[in-house]
Amino acid sequence: MNASLLLRRCQLIAQEASGQTVDIAIAAGQIMAIAPTLEISAPIELDIGGQLVSAPFVESHIHLDSALTAGQPRWNLSGTLFEGIEIWRDRKADLTIEDVKTRAIQALKQQASLGVLFVRSHADVSEPSLSALKGLLAVREAVKDWMTLQVVAFPQDGLYGSETNAALMEESLKLGADAVGGIPHYELTREDGVRSVHKIFELAQKYDRLIDIHCDEIDDPQSRFLEVVAACAIRSGLGPRVTASHTTAFGSYNDAYALKLMGILQRAQLNFIANPLINITLQGRTDTYPKRRGVTRVKELWQSGLNVSLGHDCIQDPWYSLGTGNLLAVAEMAVHVCQMTGQDEIDACFDMVTSHGARTLNLQADYGIAEGQPANLIVLDARSRYEAILNRATVKYVISRGQVLVETAPPAVTWHGE
Ligand code: FE2
């Protein structure tokens, strides 16, 4: 078979330490061959010049239904999670499928241009119209030729926040949501929260779906739904198909409880997603000083061998008015907030927005740079993961399904001084 695209002198992460490069040949949307030197030609040949070629960024946690709505209908003045939920409740009153589709595709194009080709988005399923879910399911179909999108049915107002919400969740799964979501710490009582977690596992088994729960996204050290999620994962055996998102209260637990919990989590083998840009901003708002960071124990979870990925969570919405969708900004924030400043820790933060995210999304064989894999890869203006985070490197080429989807020139600096 003839190659359609040839990348010369690529630095793969696996050979970062040695500095050895490889050529990568692509044909029919797949990686055809990888070798130090390929004696073939192709209609398009790119000399990568020893720069880093990685599997694409994976956005493991975002809310595309609310993306690009900052200030609508009003600004979040307290900056808290709960005022954000109130504002979103007003904004979503006039949500339409078209409104969701337009903004979500705009946000996805923005992320794809920054090297993101796999995304898991939550869709609020607390409204009887299910406009957010229907919109995002339509987007999943519309972008499938260049982007893989997973949609989580997310009961923003609580699975038991109203009498209809549990039925709306089940309807969402019948419509085709990829995962069951939840928000146990926002339910009316602790009992409702526990009941919601059990219901989520029951539905996931009934419809054979993944699970991704907004879990303990609060500074309250008594918010302990993570242990309930872990216990359900252990008893059901679903661990690797289950994700606990945010778990910010874990950062406020006393160390004796945290140590006990860590043992349970290792048995459960859940995935974890931290969203450092958003949680450093939302949490700790009721603290004076010292003021908590409000981020889960990323370093300790990672050191325990558990799968941790990082998400952007919000792009210009009621919870976070900033954000461009750049996962290198997320990784850079994690380095700071989670004190992941060692060389291997910085590399791990890059992995948390790439391969670890792929594991969270259960992408398995669809992800990674190897012969026979789908040809999804990115070329960074950097020679290593460290340089990529250091410089928030430009993603020069985004290659999706074997085609160059986006090309971006790094900024050119001209020095006019002495
Ligand atoms: Fe979230």
Side-chain angles (χ1 to χ4, degrees), residues 24-39:
I24 301 175
I26 292 167
Q30 289 194 319
I31 297 174
M32 188 178 94
I34 302 175
T37 307
L38 287 170
E39 302 293 342

Side-chain angles (χ1 to χ4, degrees), residues 135-148:
L136 289 185
L137 291 179
V139 170
R140 184 179 70 185
E141 183 66 20
V143 303
K144 69 179 182 188
D145 289 342
W146 50 274
M147 165 79 78
T148 300

Side-chain angles (χ1 to χ4, degrees), residues 61 63 122 214 217 246 275 313:
H61 188 119
H63 296 256
H122 295 258
H214 280 64
E217 190 185 4
H246 293 290
N275 300 289
D313 201 9

